[in-house]
Amino acid sequence: MFRRKLTALDYHNPNGFDCADETQFRNCIVWLEDQKIRHYKIEDRGNLRNIPSSDWPKAYQKYLQDVSCPFGVQERHEGLDWLLGLAVRYEYGDNVEKYKNCQPLAASSNSDKPSDPLVNLDSNSPDFKAGVTALANILKIQRHDDYLVMLKAIRILIQDRLSPEAISKASQTREGVPVALDKHILGFDTGDATLNEAAQILRLLHIEELRELQTKINEAIVAVQAIIADPKTDHRLGKVGR
């Protein structure tokens, strides 16, 4: 699953790399830090370079935290994939002019047809799971055993909160209507004027939320009535209904 990124980074053995092999895994991490990421100063890489040490997992955990990786030591595949992605980004940043002039692959004969990027998506792929998990961590979305469910939650959040329309709507200032609190009866007395005002404000906000909820309920009722109020007649069955 890492062959493509390792090849792009000129790793010495991308085809034979085995993430399950502890020695290969540790060597790969050290190689990424030494050659591509270079987050630590050379003199600070001693613990990470001490591959045979029994304390290496602790050094690796600290390294993941220092580079702000969202994965831990136990999430080996996801963490390595994240580090490879970071290394690819740094590699491009160091050689912008080199990669800027790269020619795209030849277009296929069906290039005029719109392609769906999800058609060939493998939901069981470790790359897919690592990417979805990373997005969920960034967006603070609760993890789920089904990665497709997590992907759907990410899509909903992005559409509702991060779309250009949502951002534009959120940036608009809403002018409120002045309300005289003394004209609204609280119904009880806390014994403190400040607390009484706070309780009145909370009650008014609650009433506003109830009005919005009632509006949505009414819209749902109208939508259902539009469906059931126009039955189709099937003369062959001798009855009215769908």
Side-chain angles (χ1 to χ4, degrees):
M1 61 174 286
F2 308 111
R3 181 177 55 83
R4 184 176 59 179
K5 292 180 181 178
L6 289 172
T7 301
L9 294 169
D10 294 327
Y11 190 66
H12 63 279
N13 186 24
N15 294 321
F17 175 74
D18 182 7
C19 185
D21 185 288
E22 189 66 29
T23 302
Q24 290 190 40
F25 175 75
R26 294 185 181 188
N27 276 310
C28 183
I29 297 298
V30 174
W31 180 84
L32 285 173
E33 168 58 20
D34 283 343
Q35 302 297 325
K36 303 299 178 180
I37 299 177
R38 300 188 291 274
H39 180 77
Y40 288 157
K41 295 180 179 179
I42 296 178
E43 58 270 21
D44 296 332
R45 301 174 189 171
N47 293 332
L48 197 64
R49 286 176 171 176
N50 191 8
I51 294 175
S53 173
S54 59
D55 292 331
W56 191 89
K58 296 180 181 179
Y60 178 49
Q61 177 64 47
K62 184 179 183 303
Y63 177 68
L64 292 176
Q65 294 173 352
D66 290 343
V67 296
S68 301
C69 177
F71 303 103
V73 174
Q74 302 301 326
E75 299 165 303
R76 169 174 295 201
H77 290 79
E78 293 85 349
L80 177 57
D81 186 69
W82 189 91
L83 290 174
L84 288 171
L86 181 65
V88 169
R89 180 155 59 89
Y90 286 162
E91 178 73 10
Y92 175 81
D94 293 341
N95 302 276
V96 175
E97 294 300 325
K98 172 184 176 181
Y99 295 110
K100 185 173 63 175
N101 298 323
C102 290
Q103 297 297 324
L105 297 176
S108 62
S109 57
N110 297 325
S111 59
D112 55 333
K113 298 181 180 179
S115 59
D116 185 353
L118 301 181
V119 169
N120 298 320
L121 182 65
D122 181 9
S123 60
N124 294 319
S125 167
D127 284 337
F128 171 78
K129 293 180 179 180
V132 171
T133 303
L135 280 175
N137 290 337
I138 293 173
L139 298 175
K140 307 298 182 183
I141 292 177
Q142 181 67 33
R143 290 199 180 189
H144 193 279
D145 293 336
D146 190 336
Y147 286 86
L148 290 176
V149 172
M150 288 175 60
L151 182 61
K152 182 178 180 181
I154 292 171
R155 176 183 61 81
I156 293 174
L157 176 63
I158 292 176
Q159 287 180 339
D160 292 346
R161 302 289 182 85
L162 302 178
S163 64
E165 296 80 7
I167 295 175
S168 175
K169 184 178 180 180
S171 62
Q172 295 176 356
T173 57
R174 299 177 60 184
E175 297 183 358
V177 178
V179 176
L181 294 179
D182 56 350
K183 294 183 179 180
H184 296 272
I185 300 175
L186 180 58
F188 60 88
D189 186 8
T190 64
D192 186 289
T194 303
L195 290 178
N196 286 343
E197 287 188 359
Q200 286 177 311
I201 293 172
L202 289 174
R203 171 166 287 185
L204 291 173
L205 291 174
H206 179 59
I207 292 174
E208 178 66 20
E209 291 178 350
L210 289 178
R211 288 175 177 172
E212 293 180 0
L213 177 61
Q214 185 62 56
T215 299
K216 293 180 180 179
I217 293 174
N218 293 340
E219 292 175 351
I221 292 174
V222 171
V224 172
Q225 288 177 339
I227 296 175
I228 65 177
D230 184 23
K232 304 299 181 181
T233 301
D234 191 339
H235 297 287
R236 296 173 300 175
L237 300 177
K239 63 179 181 180
V240 177
R242 290 184 179 274

